[in-house]
Amino acid sequence: MRRALHTGPWLRLARTQWAPLAALAVLTLVTALLAVAVPAATTAGYDRDAATTVGTDADLQVVGKAKGTGASSAIPNVGALTANAFTWQQLLPGSLRTVTGPPEASVALDTPQGISGEFTEPRELDLGWDPDTGRRILITAGHPPVNEVPLNPGRTTPEIQVMVAERYAQAMGYKVGARLTLVDKEIPEPLHVRITGLYAPQNPRDAYWAPRVSLLQVTQRILGRDGTKVAHGTALTDAGGYTMIAADARRGFTFTWRFPVRTGAVDTGRARTIAAELDSYRAAVQGRTGLFACTVETPLEGRLDAFLGRLRTARSVLGMAQAGLLAVAAGVLLLAAGLLGERLRPVLGTMRARGASLRQLTRYAGGLTALGVLPAAAAGYAAGLLLDAGPPQRSSLYAVAALVAVVLALSGAMVLRERGGGLGSAGGAGRDDFTAARPSPRRLVLDLLLIVVAVAGVVVLRQRGGASGDDPLVAAVPVLLGAALGTLVLRAYPYLLRAGAPLLRRGRGAVWFVGLARASRQRMIGALPLVILLLAAAVAGFSATVDTALRHGQVRASYSTVGGDVRIGSTGLDPSAAAKARAVRGVTAVVPARVVQQVTGPGEPAPITVVGIDLDAYRAAFPGVPGIPDAPNGQLVSPGAAGILDAGSKPVTLSSHYIDPFQFKPAATIDRFPSMDTGSAFAVVPYTTFGSGNYPTELFVRGDHVDVAALRKVLDAAAPKGAPRDVQVRADVLHGMTGVPMVDLVHRTFRNAALIGGGYGLLAVLLVLVVGARARGRTVAHLRVLGLKRGQSRALALVEIAPVLLCAVAAGWVLGLLLPEITGPVVDLRPYTSGFTATGHTPGAAALLGLLAALLLAAAAALAVDRAFDRPKPGDVLRTGD
């Protein structure tokens, strides 16, 4: 009986307030789910980019060099080779040891050996000893090499037994028993080898073979600037063959202990640690005594630096977007809890007037709020984990706990509001709306403090610049700016409404005047939707602005890299190549250029590179290439070349072995030019500078859907025989920048942040409309008696919500557009644009259409709520005496 009496008020209270309670529970569940899923998915995207950046060939190698008997005495046999491998492994720091596999040791001659004989193209052979290979091959013919070291070796190295890959032997025409003579330019005496066996890999797809392609087949190398092609392969010997070769003190060896990095082992958490520990490992290897000097070689350093640069930028810009999204979600939760409190206010006031204590009120108000929040938060958190969007983040748990605590604290604030007692709450004495409420001195101080903190955050942020990284200050600044701007808008909002009232009174209809009056009579709880909508619009504006800047920056970077839609080149092209390229399908313009190396000025300073091109024709054909200044005389100079040549007001004479001397007086400075390395010393001159017999080395091609295969044929026909050929397609370069997993993650996160923020903003509008629908229905019923038509009631619903919606969205959108400029160096997109600065922070057409669609959805929501709560009969709403 006592239990029934105790639970009765709870059930009655929950039953009467089921609608706002259910809304609060659903919002809490969705917010908790997003708080888990979004950070987890973002971290998973970071990990994918780390794995992709590291790749499958980022091995860690300990490399040492020794000659002759010094090599064979230090590493006399396979046991010594393995023992040193174990030593290098023990020196590995914890993070490197975790991501690398067992060491793979090998020994090879320093330089490839030429194969004597007459062939259609030169041949060369690497000669090495690789004990680990024996476990991964099958002997298909003959037998493995077995070299017996002579007791009294002479000055001439005996014939060395080797084995080669079956595919290599077939391509070169070798069989078991074939004898080869290997020559070295530095050593007069050749090496004589005999092929005793052929082998094939047990598993050709084994990652072991990826860096050892020459062990399985013929590869091609290009030697020298003349583009000579050489057929390259590798032959394997045994420990005895290595010892026999080492008897010649002139022959040097390269010892390699390779630690393969396991695919996918390097994630975001380990990347930073590995980058820091590589230096300590390098120092440990170089400081080891008892063996010849060794160094650490790995592409990990450069690749991890590139990844960490992208990660730092991503965490900065995405952190700001996600922090804004979290603030919007928290605002909607507080709005739902506040509206529940508004519904409970008459009940709590009546209970207080009847003698209930604050503790009793806390039990009912806090318990009811907890009933809607705690189970929903737990369910949302569990659902987020079950989604398995990525590794769970501890910050998600903190965010969910903070949101729950804030909502529960709001229920306590509702109780404190009743500490005066009486029926003031129930009756709603006095006015508590936008235009009538007067801020207290404490409120003014808090608002001023918020503005000061926001400005101070921006100042500190800009001073720290790109070093801010994923600092919480970076994420907090946009939220602080949004909150500060919200306070300013709230201060200006009543004055805007008052300024509009006299104008609307002059109209004949009552819709505008009544709608504006109802908008101004909203309680102060209505301030929260304004701040929520402002933050949501700021998140959308910031996301759209940075996303568009990134896309435009990558397009400009691709033009700056290639110089056109396609660029083809060689050491020298036939002068007719430009005309032939213009005839290719899809080509609309071709501009030839000639690059001349080793050009010097007076006094023989350091050489520079000179590019001969018709700048006017180039600028007209390729307006999308950024950073090409106008030069009346067609002469430009890079900062590096300007420092070398000391080119001032007087002309400078430039010359080289390939061109006649000419006068050079630059009209402007150029930082970047296609095909030139950033920061290199180069100059641009007119194409005709090199005389009538000039020939191009590059062709810049413009066109849509260019037939690249036909351009390759033109290049093959125009380039000198055996010369290297270069074909760069801008679409491929752009795809290389946009295809990075981190870039896709940034675009996807910005899109989702804008959509989720807009969804929360729409929910805030719906909450305000639904909760205020009953009071609005009473007003419309009064006006219906006076002749208000149904169409006018629909217009009244739009006018009532329009001031808050337009003020908040306009202010938030402007803040979002300005945020990239306000945060300055933190929004540094150069890691995603190959070092090219991305500017022009303006949203695209899609973002503007999305903003318009969001406003239309909000208007449609107002009409839908008005239709759903429409009461055609005044007697259903009005009471006796109204």
Side-chain angles (χ1 to χ4, degrees):
M1 184 69 177
R2 182 178 298 175
R3 184 176 181 183
L5 290 175
H6 181 70
T7 59
W10 282 86
L11 293 177
R12 287 196 301 270
L13 197 59
R15 186 167 55 251
T16 57
Q17 306 299 334
W18 70 269
L21 194 62
L24 179 61
V26 171
L27 285 173
T28 303
L29 187 147
V30 173
T31 302
L33 188 150
L34 292 176
V36 176
V38 172
T42 303
T43 303
Y46 294 157
D47 291 341
R48 283 193 299 272
D49 188 75
T52 303
T53 302
V54 171
T56 58
D57 60 342
D59 303 324
L60 184 70
Q61 296 182 2
V62 178
V63 180
K65 294 182 179 295
K67 283 190 174 183
T69 54
S72 59
S73 60
I75 308 290
N77 49 43
V78 68
L81 196 64
T82 305
N84 280 279
F86 179 77
T87 300
W88 302 135
Q89 188 177 33
Q90 291 301 306
L91 290 176
L92 282 172
S95 62
L96 287 172
R97 192 179 304 177
T98 303
V99 302
T100 55
E104 301 165 357
S106 62
V107 184
L109 282 172
D110 276 346
T111 56
Q113 306 293 300
I115 302 177
S116 64
E118 295 186 2
F119 311 106
T120 55
E121 64 179 8
R123 298 180 181 182
E124 65 180 16
L125 197 66
D126 275 329
L127 192 56
W129 170 37
D130 197 335
D132 291 308
T133 303
R135 303 192 300 269
R136 294 177 170 87
I137 60 174
L138 297 172
I139 301 298
T140 59
H143 61 82
V146 180
N147 291 283
E148 295 183 2
V149 181
L151 297 177
N152 297 311
R155 296 187 60 184
T156 303
T157 304
E159 187 178 64
I160 308 297
Q161 295 185 14
V162 299
M163 61 179 176
V164 296
E166 185 178 40
R167 289 182 60 185
Y168 173 83
Q170 291 174 352
M172 296 291 99
Y174 298 142
K175 296 182 179 180
V176 173
R179 287 180 164 83
L180 307 177
T181 301
L182 307 183
V183 295
D184 191 323
K185 295 180 180 179
E186 304 296 329
I187 302 175
E189 292 79 12
L191 275 176
H192 299 282
V193 301
R194 179 165 59 91
I195 300 175
T196 62
L198 306 180
Y199 63 85
Q202 293 181 3
N203 179 15
R205 297 181 180 179
D206 189 347
Y208 176 85
W209 300 110
R212 300 175 173 86
V213 179
S214 65
L215 281 176
L216 301 180
Q217 62 188 32
V218 179
T219 60
Q220 277 194 340
R221 290 208 313 153
I222 297 179
L223 300 181
R225 300 180 62 182
D226 58 353
T228 302
K229 295 181 179 179
V230 178
H232 180 77
T234 298
L236 294 176
T237 187
D238 60 355
Y242 152 72
T243 304
M244 293 164 63
I245 299 172
D248 188 343
R250 295 168 298 179
R251 298 194 182 275
F253 294 89
T254 299
F255 298 83
T256 304
W257 291 270
R258 174 178 175 268
F259 295 88
V261 177
R262 294 198 300 271
T263 303
V266 179
D267 56 13
T268 307
R270 290 173 177 156
R272 219 174 258 178
T273 307
I274 291 173
E277 290 183 346
L278 274 172
D279 289 336
S280 62
Y281 183 60
R282 183 174 286 109
V285 169
Q286 293 176 351
R288 182 174 179 262
T289 58
L291 190 67
F292 42 77
C294 293
T295 59
V296 176
E297 297 178 1
T298 178
L300 271 177
E301 235 165 2
R303 296 180 185 181
L304 289 181
D305 285 346
F307 166 73
L308 292 176
R310 292 196 300 269
L311 178 66
R312 184 166 47 251
T313 297
R315 281 182 166 171
S316 296
V317 295
L318 298 187
M320 288 189 282
Q322 291 175 355
L325 189 59
L326 180 63
V328 171
V332 174
L333 280 181
L334 289 177
L335 177 62
L339 293 176
L340 175 62
E342 288 295 307
R343 292 285 296 270
L344 288 176
R345 190 171 187 181
V347 178
L348 296 178
T350 303
M351 294 174 65
R352 181 64 169 164
R354 292 178 177 178
S357 65
L358 291 179
R359 181 178 298 178
Q360 289 175 312
L361 297 184
T362 302
R363 187 163 61 244
Y364 285 109
L368 190 63
T369 305
L371 179 65
V373 171
L374 292 179
Y381 188 84
L385 295 178
L386 291 176
L387 281 179
D388 195 23
Q393 301 299 297
R394 187 178 300 176
S395 59
S396 299
L397 181 60
Y398 296 155
V400 173
L403 290 175
V404 171
V406 170
V407 172
L408 293 178
L410 184 62
S411 67
M414 293 187 299
V415 174
L416 290 177
R417 188 173 50 184
E418 310 300 331
R419 63 182 179 273
L423 293 173
S425 296
R431 287 181 59 181
D432 182 22
D433 52 50
F434 278 140
T435 55
R438 293 293 181 266
S440 64
R442 182 182 300 176
R443 174 78 180 278
L444 291 175
V445 171
L446 289 177
D447 290 348
L448 182 61
L449 180 62
L450 179 60
I451 295 173
V452 171
V453 170
V455 173
V458 172
V459 172
V460 173
L461 184 65
R462 293 185 67 89
Q463 287 178 348
R464 295 177 59 183
S468 299
D470 55 350
D471 194 299
L473 175 65
V474 177
V477 164
V479 177
L480 291 174
L481 288 174
L485 181 60
T487 61
L488 295 177
V489 173
L490 286 174
R491 291 283 173 262
Y493 184 75
Y495 298 101
L496 293 175
L497 293 178
R498 291 172 186 172
L503 298 176
L504 297 177
R505 287 196 189 102
R506 301 175 183 177
R508 294 182 179 180
V511 173
W512 284 96
F513 175 75
V514 174
L516 197 63
R518 282 193 51 79
S520 65
R521 291 297 179 93
Q522 294 183 23
R523 290 181 177 271
M524 286 305 295
I525 191 67
L528 195 55
L530 188 146
V531 177
I532 293 171
L533 291 173
L534 189 150
L535 285 174
V539 170
F542 175 75
S543 301
T545 302
V546 178
D547 188 71
T548 304
L550 176 57
R551 295 181 188 276
H552 289 174
Q554 288 176 331
V555 171
R556 288 165 60 85
S558 66
Y559 272 113
S560 180
T561 300
V562 179
D565 295 311
V566 184
R567 186 180 81 226
I568 62 176
S570 183
T571 54
L573 299 175
D574 188 276
S576 63
K580 294 178 181 178
R582 291 188 184 97
V584 173
R585 178 173 55 86
V587 174
T588 58
V590 176
V591 178
R594 182 179 178 184
V595 179
V596 181
Q597 309 282 349
Q598 302 295 318
V599 177
T600 58
E604 297 291 330
I608 67 169
T609 301
V610 173
V611 181
I613 192 170
D614 186 343
L615 270 182
D616 292 335
Y618 183 76
R619 286 160 56 91
F622 305 101
V625 179
I628 307 296
D630 187 19
N633 62 352
Q635 294 187 348
L636 303 171
V637 65
S638 71
I644 294 174
L645 300 176
D646 193 20
S649 58
K650 295 182 179 180
V652 176
T653 302
L654 301 182
S655 63
S656 79
H657 296 292
Y658 307 100
I659 57 175
D660 295 330
F662 64 92
Q663 295 294 307
F664 178 69
K665 184 181 179 182
T669 302
I670 182 171
D671 294 323
R672 303 170 64 111
F673 193 81
S675 77
M676 296 291 105
D677 295 332
T678 303
S680 61
F682 66 91
V684 178
V685 299
Y687 186 69
T688 55
T689 301
F690 303 138
S692 58
N694 189 19
Y695 58 86
T697 60
E698 292 178 338
L699 298 180
F700 295 98
V701 181
R702 178 184 179 184
D704 296 326
H705 308 291
V706 176
D707 189 347
V708 179
L711 278 179
R712 292 182 186 274
K713 292 180 180 179
V714 170
L715 177 62
D716 291 338
K721 185 177 180 180
R725 294 160 174 78
D726 182 35
V727 178
Q728 278 197 320
V729 182
R730 190 187 65 82
D732 296 339
V733 175
L734 180 60
H735 178 72
M737 287 186 283
T738 59
V740 176
M742 190 80 80
V743 174
D744 179 66
L745 172 67
V746 170
H747 288 313
R748 189 172 64 252
T749 303
F750 279 147
R751 180 198 63 204
N752 294 342
L755 293 176
I756 295 172
Y760 270 109
L762 186 60
L763 285 175
V765 173
L766 283 173
L767 281 174
V768 174
L769 290 172
V770 171
V771 172
R774 183 179 301 176
R776 220 188 129 269
R778 289 177 57 83
T779 302
V780 170
H782 281 286
L783 295 174
R784 287 276 178 86
V785 175
L786 300 176
L788 185 73
K789 297 179 181 179
R790 181 169 297 178
Q792 289 177 313
S793 69
R794 302 287 186 262
L796 182 62
L798 293 178
V799 173
E800 183 178 335
I801 195 67
V804 170
L805 187 65
L806 294 179
C807 287
V809 170
W813 186 257
V814 171
L815 175 62
L817 301 187
L818 294 177
L819 267 178
E821 300 296 337
I822 293 173
T823 53
V826 175
V827 186
D828 183 6
L829 302 177
R830 286 179 296 178
Y832 302 95
T833 58
S834 300
F836 190 84
T837 302
T839 57
H841 294 131
T842 55
L848 296 176
L849 291 176
L851 177 65
L852 179 61
L855 293 175
L856 293 177
L857 277 176
L863 294 178
V865 171
D866 181 75
R867 184 182 295 274
F869 287 88
D870 189 18
R871 295 292 183 267
K873 296 181 180 180
D876 295 340
V877 178
L878 300 182
R879 296 174 296 182
T880 302
D882 287 341

